Amino acid sequence: MTRFGFFSLQGAKALALSLMVDTSIFMLDLSDNWLQGEGAAAIAEMLKENCYISAVDLSDNKIGIEGAKAFSAMLLENTTIVSLQLSGNEFDDHAAKYLADALTANSKVEILDLSYNMFGDKAGEILGTAIAENIGLKELKISWNHFHSQGAAALAKGLGANTYLKVLDVSYNGFGNSGAAALGEALKANNVLEELNVSNNRISVEGALHIAGGLKENKSLKRLNMTRNPMQSEGCCGVLKALQANSGTGVEIL
């Protein structure tokens, strides 16, 4: 991993120019540099040409909609990147449209981190559709956003249709009971997902029982994190009973 720090826009452009023909760097860490939209656009243009870098970390750079647009355009052309970290970049519902286009078309990225952004329910609907159609992602982190009932349900519906994703982290959102109900239905349909983190999502007894309904039928999930939810004893018992009733459950860590 090559780590660069504290770049101005001119510095980002100079770095991008040098990396365009570099053949020795495979992992690029530019996290926490305040590159913003223009700096991210310069890096994105470079990644259209560079076919050696396979892992990119652009976390905490405030790249916003401009950066989302630039990176999405890059992902329509790049076939080398398999890991992309874009957490903490002030992406909102408008940025989601660009990212969704990339998710739908790109089948090479296997690990994507979109946590600590500002996605809301509209983004949940947009990204949910893209997740359903994506055929490459194996791990998606989208924790610490603002997905509530409607957006959460759309994301869960996308999960139900996806046949590639193995790890999903939606912790620290606001799924609530309606989002949990959608997750329960998704778990009935999905036979690929192995790890699910729904911690701190305001899921009460009702929501826990909905998830339990999915667990009663699911056979692929191995690790489930439901901590920091007000499920009470009844919800916890419901989840345990569901696993006990499922002879084919794969859950190893709860």
Side-chain angles (χ1 to χ4, degrees):
M1 173 73 77
T2 301
R3 174 77 167 91
F4 296 95
F6 301 107
F7 278 95
S8 62
L9 174 58
Q10 291 75 17
K13 289 181 175 179
L15 175 65
L17 188 62
S18 66
L19 288 175
M20 197 167 290
V21 293
D22 187 277
T23 61
S24 61
I25 293 176
F26 302 99
M27 303 174 73
L28 178 64
D29 185 351
L30 287 169
S31 59
D32 196 17
N33 270 294
W34 271 44
L35 289 176
Q36 299 184 301
E38 284 189 85
I43 299 300
E45 284 300 312
M46 175 273 294
L47 290 170
K48 288 181 180 179
E49 302 296 330
N50 184 296
C51 58
Y52 293 90
I53 296 174
S54 61
V56 177
D57 187 346
L58 228 71
S59 303
D60 302 308
N61 271 290
K62 300 182 182 293
I63 69 176
I65 295 175
E66 185 180 353
K69 186 176 182 179
F71 260 71
S72 296
M74 176 274 292
L75 289 172
L76 297 179
E77 299 183 28
N78 183 285
T79 58
T80 309
I81 295 174
V82 295
S83 176
L84 183 58
Q85 314 291 323
L86 292 173
S87 64
N89 272 304
E90 300 182 350
F91 293 151
D92 58 11
D93 290 358
H94 298 291
K97 181 185 181 303
Y98 298 110
L99 295 168
D101 289 342
L103 279 175
T104 302
N106 183 292
S107 61
K108 299 299 182 181
V109 175
E110 297 179 358
I111 300 171
L112 179 62
D113 187 350
L114 294 173
S115 56
Y116 291 93
N117 279 296
M118 301 185 297
F119 294 130
D121 285 342
K122 185 61 178 177
E125 296 174 16
I126 295 168
L127 294 173
T129 300
I131 290 169
E133 297 179 12
N134 179 272
I135 58 171
L137 273 184
K138 294 181 180 179
E139 179 177 334
L140 174 62
K141 294 180 180 179
I142 200 160
S143 60
W144 290 94
N145 277 283
H146 307 291
F147 300 118
H148 298 113
S149 55
Q150 187 177 348
L155 281 175
K157 186 177 180 181
L159 169 65
N162 184 282
T163 56
Y164 291 84
L165 199 63
K166 293 184 178 297
V167 180
L168 177 63
D169 184 353
V170 292
S171 60
Y172 288 86
N173 279 288
F175 269 48
N177 293 331
S178 56
L183 277 175
E185 291 302 311
L187 288 173
K188 292 177 184 179
N190 186 289
N191 60 0
V192 178
L193 192 71
E194 296 180 358
E195 294 186 25
L196 175 62
N197 188 345
V198 292
S199 61
N200 214 313
N201 262 294
R202 304 174 190 169
I203 298 171
S204 68
V205 175
E206 179 189 341
L209 294 179
H210 280 301
I211 290 177
L215 292 173
K216 195 176 289 187
E217 298 183 25
N218 183 277
K219 291 179 170 56
S220 65
L221 200 65
K222 295 181 180 180
R223 182 173 187 145
L224 175 62
N225 187 344
M226 297 181 70
T227 57
R228 295 181 181 274
N229 283 299
M231 302 185 301
Q232 304 179 37
S233 297
E234 184 181 350
C236 293
C237 287
V239 169
L240 292 172
K241 287 178 180 178
L243 293 173
Q244 189 176 33
N246 183 352
S247 60
T249 183
V251 174
E252 300 169 350
I253 301 174
L254 176 62

